Amino acid sequence: MSLPRVENPWFLLFLLAFQTIFILIAYQGNLAGVFRGLSGSPQVPDFSKPHDVYTNLSLLARRPTEDALPYCSARSPLLVGPLIISFRVLPSERKIIKKNPFVQSGGLYRPPHCLARYKSAILVAYSNQEKYLHHLLYYIHPFLQRQQLSYRIYLIQQVGNGTFNRAKLLNIGVREALKDEDWDCLLLHDVDLVPENDYNLYICDEYYPKHMASAIDKFHYNLPYKSFFGGVSALTPEHYMKMNGFPNTYWGSGGENDDIATRIQLAGMKIVRTPSHLGRYKMMNSKKETEEPWRRSASRHNTRKTWKDDGMNSLEFKLLSKTKHPLYTNITVDIGYVPPFS
């Protein structure tokens, strides 16, 4: 004697599976999304439908109550993914200030509606690049606010017209920033790079130094070479001190990036990278140089022999000023000049 259809366990199992799939389709929006979710594979963002960088910032508001703020959600509801990035019109400082009303003096931001789960210092070695700076500030402030981070932006610049020393300036920035706050993450950021996707979270990897700029438009969204660590990187203070920071002896641009990659390895760590569909950046001077601008011969620097003695533990400079501007903290230093044997 056969069971009625409604009492047949196979029929009930089929009905349950059908209802589950129907609910998943309704949640994901289409059948392809269901299979992506079941397979665990990440959804690749659609860069054909980017958003304005100030999207959702109008939702920010201070809580009216005096009660203690709750922690921000683990995943920010303000994120939008791919962003519209254009350098055709130069934004004025006044415009940037007006569009970022919650940014405090010194470029400090704390979410007005919740307690941030992460504190990140953005460190920019700077050399009279005001046009680049305005573009970066215009895009990076709303980008970071949507991630619900507590952050401060630091500009570190050397006095005079001597040869630029990016690595030494970043060492100085780290030292000065850690006097202000117990930062969870140090973001070392080139002034001419702007992130294209706000799911590229400006927080550190717990275990290893993280290379953020894994896909720059100038290099057709590929790494220029395997050990590349330039552009934007994220390290905890512990990571930074473990590898003795950056070398102080690279004057001019380029070779320090290879040195840093070697230091990470010698300190018993490895480089982790943001996935290329998230770590996309636009470079403001992308029409210049078609080769590998950050790489040069490091034949005069034997990193294996020098890394323990050349870095944070040998850093010498004279702090001339540390000034709070509306959108950033400016650190001006005298770092000396290129030694005659360099």
Side-chain angles (χ1 to χ4, degrees), residues 30-45:
N30 54 57
L31 192 58
V34 172
F35 289 115
R36 273 197 302 270
L38 293 175
S39 66
S41 59
Q43 184 173 358
V44 177

Side-chain angles (χ1 to χ4, degrees), residues 62 76 91 93 125 129 177 186 202 204 229 238 274 283 287 338:
R62 299 191 188 280
S76 172
E93 182 181 61
Q129 299 149 307
L186 307 168
Y202 272 38
C204 282
F229 197 66
E238 293 73 23
T274 300
M283 181 180 283
K287 292 184 179 180
V338 185

Side-chain angles (χ1 to χ4, degrees), residues 101 174 197 200 249 311:
V174 168
N197 189 326
N200 181 8
T249 51

Side-chain angles (χ1 to χ4, degrees), residues 250-262:
Y250 280 89
W251 299 85
S253 60
E256 76 275 1
N257 290 304
D258 294 331
D259 189 303
I260 293 161
T262 303

Side-chain angles (χ1 to χ4, degrees), residues 58-74:
S58 61
L59 301 177
L60 293 176
R62 299 191 188 280
R63 291 174 67 89
T65 176
E66 294 183 359
D67 295 341
L69 291 176
Y71 275 99
C72 299
S73 55

Side-chain angles (χ1 to χ4, degrees), residues 85-272:
I85 308 294
S86 173
F87 306 126
R88 289 195 299 269
V89 178
L90 183 66
S92 66
E93 182 181 61
R94 179 179 297 181
K95 178 179 181 180
I96 303 170
I97 293 171
K98 184 176 180 180
K99 292 181 78 68
N100 294 276
F102 290 108
V103 173
Q104 302 172 38
S105 176
L108 174 66
Y109 174 83
R110 295 188 179 96
H113 59 294
C114 59
L115 292 174
R117 293 175 179 267
Y118 301 99
K119 297 180 294 183
S120 296
I122 317 301
L123 306 169
V124 181
Y126 179 72
S127 178
N128 300 319
Q129 299 149 307
E130 186 175 4
K131 179 180 177 181
Y132 293 167
L133 177 61
H134 278 222
H135 283 305
L136 176 64
L137 294 172
Y138 179 84
Y139 286 108
I140 202 70
H141 273 297
F143 172 91
L144 295 170
Q145 289 169 55
R146 275 203 306 280
Q147 295 185 3
Q148 298 185 146
L149 301 175
S150 175
Y151 71 86
R152 186 193 291 268
I153 296 177
Y154 293 88
L155 258 62
I156 312 97
Q157 56 182 325
Q158 64 194 69
V159 69
N161 298 316
T163 305
F164 190 60
N165 190 328
R166 172 180 174 268
K168 188 171 185 178
L169 291 175
L170 291 174
N171 280 345
I172 295 168
V174 168
R175 178 168 291 180
E176 293 300 316
L178 290 175
K179 293 178 182 178
D180 297 335
E181 185 89 37
D182 184 19
W183 299 107
D184 299 314
C185 191
L186 307 168
L187 276 296
L188 314 175
H189 210 296
D190 280 3
V191 71
D192 61 351
L193 287 178
V194 171
E196 296 184 45
N197 189 326
D198 63 11
Y199 283 103
N200 181 8
L201 301 181
Y202 272 38
I203 60 176
C204 282
D205 182 83
E206 183 179 357
Y207 301 105
Y208 299 115
K210 180 167 66 171
H211 183 230
M212 309 287 287
S214 54
I216 300 175
D217 64 341
K218 179 172 185 172
F219 301 117
H220 309 289
Y221 296 106
N222 292 305
L223 291 175
Y225 51 93
K226 186 177 179 180
S227 63
F228 180 61
F229 197 66
V232 184
S233 52
L235 303 91
T236 66
E238 293 73 23
H239 295 155
Y240 204 83
M241 299 307 171
K242 186 175 182 179
M243 65 185 227
N244 196 20
F246 285 10
N248 296 312
T249 51
Y250 280 89
W251 299 85
S253 60
E256 76 275 1
N257 290 304
D258 294 331
D259 189 303
I260 293 161
T262 303
R263 282 170 180 253
I264 291 170
Q265 181 183 16
L266 293 172
M269 300 183 288
K270 66 178 182 180
I271 296 173
V272 297

